[in-house]
Amino acid sequence: MSSNSSSIADRLLDIQAQLPPHVTLVAVSKTKPAHAITEALAAGQLDFGENRVQELVEKAERLANERIKWHHIGHLQTNKVKFIIPHVHLVHAVDSQRLLEEINRRSIQMNQTTDVLLQMHIAQESTKYGWSDEEMEQFMDGNPLPQYPSVRVRGLMGMATFTDDHQQVASEFKKLKATYDRWKESHPEWDTLSMGMSGDWQLAVDAGSTMVRIGSSIFGER
Ligand SMILES: *Cc1c(COP(=O)(O)O)cnc(C)c1O
């Protein structure tokens, strides 16, 4: 996926040049060493994604750079929420009411507001986390978000099926965009639709993504 002759900076700039200006690039640095992040930083990249709490916290403390925006992008266990709150810019994968409650509780304790996305289940694989349309419908019925005053929901996140079938992936992204647009009508403050990874970000952007999470195409295979 990544050619050996190009640098992290080259690959970042190449992707940035293809992204419309309203799409934020989150460079997914999971499993990669701190010096890879430093290299990306030097190329102007400030948004970084990690999927392990301990790794995110270690890197945040080690790099100690106020300009870095740390994104937690994977499944988050409720018992790890307290560790991540002081460091995280955006939690992408809130997939249950219990997690939302815990993020709110810990945010209140730490006297801050935490930005999050709700993760929708859009893929065919049954292993991926996230709300179904029906579960989202049930949850949102009755306007629950004001019950979590220290959490600011900014929009939705989703992962498409891991397949070469572009039509399938495109249709999953379009469906997520339609769900996002629908809930955004009653939540005009929503501004973020996180979808698209190394293998499918062009399809996601075409479908209306505002934030892509790209790892291996920038940092090389894991
Ligand atoms: C690892 C990961 C990515 C990035 O995957 P690549 O294929 O390396 O771009 C994006 N989103 C989530 C949730 C991930 O866990």
Side-chain angles (χ1 to χ4, degrees), residues 73-122:
I73 59 171
H75 178 64
L76 178 58
Q77 290 172 283
T78 48
N79 62 353
K80 302 263 175 76
V81 167
K82 58 178 178 288
F83 302 118
I84 207 126
I85 294 291
H87 300 289
V88 81
H89 170 73
L90 180 65
V91 177
H92 283 235
V94 174
D95 57 5
S96 71
Q97 188 169 350
R98 210 164 77 88
L99 184 54
L100 202 57
E101 279 164 12
E102 179 64 3
I103 295 172
N104 185 60
R105 191 170 80 87
R106 294 293 183 175
S107 299
I108 290 169
Q109 279 179 359
M110 295 180 197
N111 197 24
Q112 71 170 69
T113 303
T114 304
D115 284 341
V116 308
L117 303 175
L118 305 178
Q119 181 178 13
M120 299 295 297
H121 180 99
I122 58 169

Side-chain angles (χ1 to χ4, degrees), residues 1 26-30 49-51 72-75 92-93 119 157-159 162 194 196-201 212-218 220-222:
M1 189 151 289
V26 177
V28 176
S29 48
K30 65 187 186 197
E50 293 283 340
N51 69 339
H72 189 269
I73 59 171
H75 178 64
H92 283 235
Q119 181 178 13
M157 177 267 202
M159 290 170 83
F162 189 70
S194 169
M197 314 182 9
S198 289
D200 58 18
W201 64 266
V212 291
R213 310 174 309 269
I214 301 180
S216 43
S217 290
I218 297 169
E221 298 296 337
R222 286 179 297 275

Side-chain angles (χ1 to χ4, degrees), residues 77-185:
Q77 290 172 283
T78 48
N79 62 353
K80 302 263 175 76
V81 167
K82 58 178 178 288
F83 302 118
I84 207 126
I85 294 291
H87 300 289
V88 81
H89 170 73
L90 180 65
V91 177
H92 283 235
V94 174
D95 57 5
S96 71
Q97 188 169 350
R98 210 164 77 88
L99 184 54
L100 202 57
E101 279 164 12
E102 179 64 3
I103 295 172
N104 185 60
R105 191 170 80 87
R106 294 293 183 175
S107 299
I108 290 169
Q109 279 179 359
M110 295 180 197
N111 197 24
Q112 71 170 69
T113 303
T114 304
D115 284 341
V116 308
L117 303 175
L118 305 178
Q119 181 178 13
M120 299 295 297
H121 180 99
I122 58 169
Q124 280 180 332
E125 293 115 359
S126 56
T127 53
K128 288 194 179 150
Y129 296 98
W131 266 297
S132 68
D133 279 332
E134 296 72 34
E135 287 163 345
M136 181 59 68
E137 194 89 43
Q138 268 188 350
F139 172 64
M140 291 294 249
D141 190 37
N143 192 27
L145 300 184
Q147 291 170 37
Y148 311 102
S150 293
V151 176
R152 199 161 43 201
V153 176
R154 304 292 296 262
L156 302 179
M157 177 267 202
M159 290 170 83
T161 304
F162 189 70
T163 171
D164 289 335
D165 183 347
H166 285 194
Q167 245 173 321
Q168 167 79 21
V169 172
S171 90
E172 288 170 1
F173 284 146
K174 283 178 196 152
K175 188 167 167 252
L176 180 56
K177 172 65 157 76
T179 305
Y180 173 75
D181 286 343
R182 188 191 151 198
W183 292 113
K184 188 172 157 60
E185 257 175 55

